[in-house]
Amino acid sequence: MTGKFITLEGPEGSGKTTVSKELVKILNESGYKVLLTREPGGVDIAEQIRNVILDKKNTKMDARTEALLYAAARRQHLVEKVLPALKEGYIVLCDRFVDSSLAYQGVARNLGIDEVYNMNLFATENILPNRTVFFDIKPEAGLQRVYANKEREVNRLDLENIDFHERVYEGYLTICNRFPERIVKVDASQDIEDVLFQVLEKIREIL
Ligand code: TYD
């Protein structure tokens, strides 16, 4: 890997997507080549898997099936898009990665952090980001933003109850403590401009 692999993590409505678009502009202006991508999806096969995972009709989906599908989409996206870009020296900014699976499937769906982590290390062949930025915002505040944003489509996971989203949030806090050398936190409850500024600082530290 010659580029830098940076992932953005956080609960629904934490502002990752908005901030990531601004980050690209600023980093480009500073002369960096940047690839912005997202999970699940990012390449054709992974987008097809995404449609199965997030389809509101798929209420019967088992938690392990869900975890395996996310990992399968991740694998395809990694080999087809992320690794080639890193090889060419790009900064790859990825909206969600393994830590989403640890928080959502490992903790909120109760599959266990270690189990989901090991399964994901198989999928990624032990590749982890150089830096992960966690957008720290309480789930109620994040969900309020989601519902205020009419353009964003509500998916199967958004429809989970507030307890689920509380568990996701607790999961993220546990993961932050577990991987302190890789994951840094920003206060995502602030205005988007302030969040952007904090994230930029955390990214510049490793460039
Ligand atoms: P998306 O519409 O991309 O939401 P967001 O803008 O919040 O990223 O939907 C992705 C959903 O999938 C989101 O609810 C988080 C969930 N998810 C997992 O549960 N596990 C995973 O490994 C990933 C990547 C996402």
Side-chain angles (χ1 to χ4, degrees):
M1 285 212 299
T2 57
K4 294 282 181 219
F5 184 24
I6 297 166
T7 60
L8 308 177
E9 292 284 354
E12 320 292 324
S14 56
K16 292 179 283 94
T17 310
T18 314
V19 165
S20 61
K21 290 182 188 144
E22 294 303 315
L23 282 174
V24 176
K25 287 189 209 150
I26 296 171
L27 292 169
N28 278 337
E29 280 163 16
S30 307
Y32 293 103
K33 297 189 290 185
V34 185
L35 173 74
L36 174 61
T37 187
R38 67 151 185 196
E39 277 203 5
V43 293
D44 187 39
I45 294 174
E47 290 288 337
Q48 292 179 49
I49 300 174
R50 175 190 173 91
N51 290 338
V52 175
I53 305 174
L54 296 179
D55 190 334
K56 282 184 281 234
K57 289 200 300 288
N58 286 338
T59 49
K60 277 195 247 160
M61 191 177 295
D62 170 76
R64 282 175 191 253
T65 307
E66 184 180 278
L68 287 160
L69 287 174
Y70 277 115
R74 175 162 303 131
R75 169 74 190 165
Q76 191 65 32
H77 174 245
L78 184 74
V79 292
E80 243 192 273
K81 195 164 181 183
V82 177
L83 292 179
L86 288 173
K87 231 178 178 173
E88 287 178 34
Y90 276 79
I91 295 176
V92 178
L93 268 184
C94 188
D95 191 343
R96 299 192 179 282
F97 192 62
V98 168
D99 300 296
S100 283
S101 285
L102 303 185
Y104 283 79
Q105 284 67 52
V107 178
R109 296 266 193 243
N110 273 320
L111 294 179
I113 291 181
D114 288 327
E115 285 78 355
V116 176
Y117 191 53
N118 288 332
M119 193 263 288
N120 271 278
L121 290 181
F122 169 75
T124 68
E125 289 179 284
N126 300 319
I127 290 170
L128 287 168
N130 298 106
R131 171 139 291 186
T132 298
V133 181
F134 171 56
F135 287 56
D136 189 354
I137 186 170
K138 296 239 160 56
E140 313 85 66
L143 287 172
Q144 262 172 20
R145 280 192 191 156
V146 170
Y147 290 112
N149 178 358
K150 305 249 172 349
E151 281 166 36
R152 187 184 177 289
E153 210 195 318
V154 174
N155 67 46
R156 188 170 60 84
L157 277 90
D158 295 333
L159 296 175
E160 288 288 343
N161 61 30
I162 187 74
D163 286 0
F164 177 83
H165 293 289
E166 294 281 358
R167 291 201 299 278
V168 169
Y169 181 66
E170 292 305 320
Y172 270 125
L173 297 184
T174 305
I175 297 161
C176 286
N177 287 330
R178 182 146 164 191
F179 304 105
E181 61 303 321
R182 176 171 62 81
I183 310 184
V184 292
K185 265 193 232 177
V186 297
D187 176 0
S189 66
Q190 301 187 352
D191 288 347
I192 220 78
E193 285 293 313
D194 295 321
V195 181
L196 174 64
F197 181 74
Q198 294 177 64
V199 177
L200 204 54
E201 243 181 10
K202 303 290 183 200
I203 290 180
R204 288 207 195 275
E205 281 171 11
I206 61 146
L207 294 182

